[in-house]
């Protein structure tokens, strides 16, 4: 275990082998209404937790987890293997983030977001979960994933969400779909489609993407993701 | 008083009763050109100051103040009661933030912003205060709130600013108005109107908003805010 | 030297005279795959490094460098004199940031970005460097600055990038050009032009900008920058 300086480890943080935990990290912080040690934090083997990261108690996180500096992960999330949450990004509560998801820097992942395997979320992406915030019904009703009023977006397998995009509540981004940088996504994105703009509209199919530098043949740009 | 680990308390920080101050918080930090203790920091009763929050000296803040992790509040702001400033959000100097305002996560609230009672600012919202930055006149002239060239936006009572919106300098968002997620607001938003897009345009009245899950009748979506 | 509390100084951090280094700063942190002290960090005279800033080893930074709270600067960047990197902003690796550049708060400056002298980057700006992320060719090929597929944007001398703008990979923002707040820049911006919108389009020349408060004559708004 490599442990940085001034690390704050709360009780009941269970961390696997081969950890790198950098300076000023906080692990297992009790959320509002809980005492130190009441909720467990479980992190698998070989995590790399970079400086200033804050991970609350009540999370179950798989192997090879990585964070960027100052990432913040609130309570009650389920996070798979080989996931990374980038510098300055926030994951709120109740999210389901599956294997090999990469969330880049300064993102906001709202409560009850579902992000499926291999999805890639660019820097500064914002997810939302309430159509008319701050709706009192948000707190008084059980969350309904994928429902347009309440709550979190669903980002399906292999989807790519470009930098600075904003995803409206309950929106489904289909499998292998691509959301262009800066897009504001107000409607479902069908699998394999590319959307851009505000509001986001389909501009092409993923199979029609072209690589200007010739690393990939036309139609093969994301072919490596489908295996 | 519940005090976290490694808290840095500068001189002249006056904090009310019943505080929760978490790890790595900095309170009363002297701004540029000031010595430790020269400017007071006043925070009312029952504050919840989450990990890594930095609050400069020279602020006067009411009761029941809350911050998210790593919130940063610079000097010379006036902040009312029951205000919250979310994780990673920045409040610059000279702002007037009134009772029960909620500023969500990763927001940037520029100098001289006025946010009136009950306004709700979504995650990743950016406020601006200079039409042609970095204008030398910004520093050499007294700020003029609501003037289109210099300076801060005015967000009126009960207004809602959706996630990822960008507000141009001196823009007024009217009472009970709603700015859609991702909107770029370049003109005044009339009270009770809903705007979306880049540039933001009126798409409907707040009274015409519909709740797809049926929590509210048509026309009643924000009725609970007007009381 | 004024040194805050709980500062973490790694080996091989060479910092000039007249430093102000605030609380919880980390200087010279070794990047992935490097040991403490293996890479130098060089910072010139009179730096102001604000609370919570993290600067990795492997950077060469000029005189009068300033950071805002919680700024993060990764390895292998070349940064000139009188540069500032604002609160919460992230500078990734391999960037070339020249004299007197100002990067405001909560920005994301991606790998291999070039920002020339005097350029001004507003709050919450996002730069990108891969047309089809997460492209495997990004890692396996040498970066090509200004190439549309891989990699970093080029922001030329005196350019201004407004708050919340998103810059697509390899885009060139011309000398003295202005990118409006919230713009999504998908094509080259010709020198001296003003662009706004998503996608960004030319709306006028910089020489046609008007100062509504009369600080500058029509056509003189950015005249002070060209000297």
């Amino acid at each position: 275990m490599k442990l940085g300086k001034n690390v704050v480890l709360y009780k009941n943080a269970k961390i696997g082998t081969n950890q790198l935990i950098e300076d000023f990290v906080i692990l297992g912080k009790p959320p509002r209404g809980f005492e130190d040690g009441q909720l467990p934090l479980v992190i698998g083997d070989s995590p790399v937790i970079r400086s200033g990261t804050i991970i609350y108690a009540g999370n179950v996180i798989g192997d090879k987890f990585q964070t960027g500096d100052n990432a913040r992960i609130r309570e009650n999330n389920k996070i798979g293997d080989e996931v990374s949450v980038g510098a300055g990004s926030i994951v709120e509560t109740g999210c389901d983030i599956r294997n090999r998801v990469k969330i880049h820097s300064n993102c906001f992942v709202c409560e009850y977001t579902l992000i499926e395997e291999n999805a890639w979320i660019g820097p500064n992406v914002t997810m939302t979960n309430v159509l008319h915030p701050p709706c009192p019904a948000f707190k008084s009703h059980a969350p309904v994933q994928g429902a347009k009023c309440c709550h979190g977006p669903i980002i399906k397998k292999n989807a790519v969400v470009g930098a600075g995009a904003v995803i409206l509540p309950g929106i489904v981004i289909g499998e292998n779909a691509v959301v262009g940088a800066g897009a504001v996504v107000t409607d479902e994105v069908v699998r394999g489609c590319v959307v851009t703009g505000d509001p986001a509209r389909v501009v092409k199919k993923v199979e029609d993407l072209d690589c200007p530098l010739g690393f990939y043949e036309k139609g093969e740009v994301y072919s490596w993701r489908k295996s």
Side-chain angles (χ1 to χ4, degrees), chain A residues 164-201:
Chain A
V166 177
I167 314 296
L168 274 280
I171 291 296
V172 179
I173 312 282
E175 220 171 295
N176 295 306
V178 174
V179 173
V184 178
V185 186
T186 59
D187 280 304
E188 179 173 351
V189 179
V190 174
R191 57 177 294 163
C193 287
V194 179
V195 300
T196 65
D198 174 10
R201 294 289 176 249

Side-chain angles (χ1 to χ4, degrees), chain A residues 147-158:
Chain A
K148 199 167 180 177
C149 177
C150 295
H151 290 208
I154 296 180
I155 318 294
K156 306 284 278 185
K157 273 193 265 190
N158 291 320

Side-chain angles (χ1 to χ4, degrees), chain A residues 77-93:
Chain A
N77 297 292
K78 192 179 158 196
I79 297 178
D81 294 331
E82 299 180 52
V83 169
S84 73
V85 176
S89 282
I90 299 174
V91 175
E92 293 276 62
T93 74

Side-chain angles (χ1 to χ4, degrees), chain A residues 31-51:
Chain A
R32 187 200 312 233
F34 287 86
E35 296 298 315
D36 183 10
Q38 218 174 331
L39 290 175
L41 165 65
V42 179
I43 301 179
D45 292 337
S46 305
V48 177
I49 311 293
R50 293 210 170 74
S51 318

Side-chain angles (χ1 to χ4, degrees), chain A residues 26-122:
Chain A
I26 300 175
L27 293 180
K29 172 178 159 178
R32 187 200 312 233
F34 287 86
E35 296 298 315
D36 183 10
Q38 218 174 331
L39 290 175
L41 165 65
V42 179
I43 301 179
D45 292 337
S46 305
V48 177
I49 311 293
R50 293 210 170 74
S51 318
T53 293
I54 302 170
I55 305 179
Y56 283 66
N59 288 295
V60 178
I61 300 174
D63 293 337
K64 298 188 181 168
F65 182 59
Q66 296 215 19
T67 68
D69 301 313
N70 290 357
R72 281 147 283 172
I73 297 169
R74 285 186 51 200
E75 66 274 16
N76 295 330
N77 297 292
K78 192 179 158 196
I79 297 178
D81 294 331
E82 299 180 52
V83 169
S84 73
V85 176
S89 282
I90 299 174
V91 175
E92 293 276 62
T93 74
C95 296
D96 183 348
I97 299 175
R98 306 220 172 133
N99 296 341
R100 297 176 300 282
V101 165
K102 179 177 171 84
I103 297 167
H104 215 299
S105 312
N106 281 353
C107 291
F108 179 76
V109 178
C110 66
E111 288 159 282
Y112 308 112
T113 297
L114 165 59
I115 311 182
E116 292 188 356
E117 289 79 0
N118 301 311
W120 187 93
I121 313 296

